[in-house]
Amino acid sequence: MSYQPLFTITSKMLNLVSEITEALTKIESTQNSSITPYLRRTNRIKILAGTLEIEGNFLGEEKITAILDGKRVLGSVRELAEVDGAIKAYEKFEEYCYDSLDDLLQAHKILMNGILTTAGAFRRVNVGVGSENGVSHVAPPHERVPELMSDLFEWLKNSDDHPLIKSSVFHYEFEFIHPFSDGNGRIGRLWQSVILYNYKSIFSSVATESIVRDYQDRYYKALEDSGELGQSTPFIEFMLEVIFEAIKNVPNDVSKNVPKGREVSILNLIAENSKVTVKELALKFEVNEKTIKRDLEKLKEENKIKRIGSARSGYWEVIK
């Protein structure tokens, strides 16, 4: 294997890999089933919203949920096309072969269909990647892209590096090559998750993209710092931090249904006080707010309650 991306294994990386591995083992040992349909759907929506918001599409989780439910929503033609492409690209998430360049090209074609006439094909022009301070990175000449991508996938297939590190290296190198005229960020994030899924299946429901969205400035800075250093070390460390935080956000035990006793009590409390808050419900039942939010979402899916107005000033209504 002639091609070898430049990076340095640091003690910070090794510590993060150890912590992530321990957290994954704990999740796998406490869950009755590896992934519940509810967890898969909820986190997939977070993933879609996160990766699109990084690129300036702010339709958000609520509208993406409505689109998945077959409802019509308001948005620009491009916004709706981006959501549609992202939904379809992630629908095939578990079918992609992580070390297949053809699969990545197909994913880009699905993702950018209706947006780019060259969807699924490498760029044929030279490009520079912009930042607030101007052009932060001049990508390799377009005629070198096919060879560079072929070398990257050969390394990905044959490398003995830990998958957590390897996925982060790939993500950086992919963004450095910048092989497409548009959609590089979305595909880079998607493909890192595909590599991680090949390592552990639970990554199909780990919303790393939404954590990247939360630390978007640091994400771009890590890319720039790696570019200036000439190796992906800063970016690897950043992405391992993101993965660790995303793993910590996965509930150790996600029940498909709201426990019957709590369901009845929640419905009664909403009937008595339509403006009861998540925090108040969490205190009442001595569970964390994430659990209550999941309960409420499940009750909404079952058409037992609905939200009238905004999250801040609206209220709940029990559906008779």
Side-chain angles (χ1 to χ4, degrees), residues 102-206:
D102 287 341
D103 278 13
L104 182 139
L105 290 170
Q106 180 64 21
H108 185 264
K109 185 175 182 178
I110 295 169
L111 180 76
M112 302 304 289
N113 185 41
I115 301 170
L116 283 181
T117 57
T118 57
F122 294 137
R123 59 182 167 86
R124 300 298 299 273
V125 295
N126 295 333
V127 297
V129 181
S131 70
E132 291 181 355
N133 300 318
V135 176
S136 62
H137 167 60
V138 177
H142 70 85
E143 60 267 18
R144 293 198 60 207
V145 168
E147 178 189 357
L148 290 171
M149 288 299 295
S150 179
D151 287 347
L152 180 58
F153 269 86
E154 181 185 0
W155 170 82
L156 179 63
K157 183 175 184 177
N158 297 306
S159 170
D160 292 328
D161 293 301
H162 194 286
L164 290 166
I165 292 175
K166 185 160 63 173
S167 69
S168 302
V169 174
F170 178 92
H171 188 162
Y172 171 76
E173 295 292 328
F174 178 88
E175 302 303 338
F176 178 87
I177 297 169
H178 214 74
F180 303 112
S181 58
D182 195 5
N184 294 283
R186 278 162 278 181
I187 286 291
R189 292 186 290 274
L190 165 62
W191 217 255
Q192 175 160 16
S193 293
V194 169
I195 297 168
L196 291 171
Y197 173 73
N198 180 75
Y199 165 55
K200 294 284 187 180
S201 62
I202 194 167
F203 277 103
S204 66
S205 295
V206 175

Side-chain angles (χ1 to χ4, degrees), residues 2-3 7 18 29 34 47 53 59 61 75 88 98 101 106 110 130 160 209 221 227 278 283 302:
S2 58
Y3 173 75
F7 61 93
S18 176
S29 67
S34 59
I47 288 166
E53 284 182 20
L59 285 187
E61 293 180 25
K88 290 177 178 176
Y98 82 100
L101 177 55
Q106 180 64 21
I110 295 169
D160 292 328
E209 289 89 336
K221 187 175 189 308
V278 169
L283 290 172
E302 295 173 349

Side-chain angles (χ1 to χ4, degrees), residues 17 31 96 115 142 175 281 290 302 307:
V17 167
Q31 285 184 325
Y96 299 128
I115 301 170
H142 70 85
E175 302 303 338
L281 290 171
K290 288 183 180 178
E302 295 173 349
R307 185 72 181 177

Side-chain angles (χ1 to χ4, degrees), residues 48-89:
L48 293 169
T51 199
L52 288 169
E53 284 182 20
I54 294 169
E55 307 302 329
N57 185 320
F58 295 99
L59 285 187
E61 293 180 25
E62 185 175 342
K63 288 187 176 180
I64 290 174
T65 302
I67 291 171
L68 286 169
D69 291 338
K71 300 175 182 177
R72 296 184 64 181
V73 303
L74 294 176
S76 71
V77 173
R78 183 181 177 93
E79 285 175 332
L80 295 174
E82 287 177 339
V83 171
D84 181 64
I87 289 172
K88 290 177 178 176

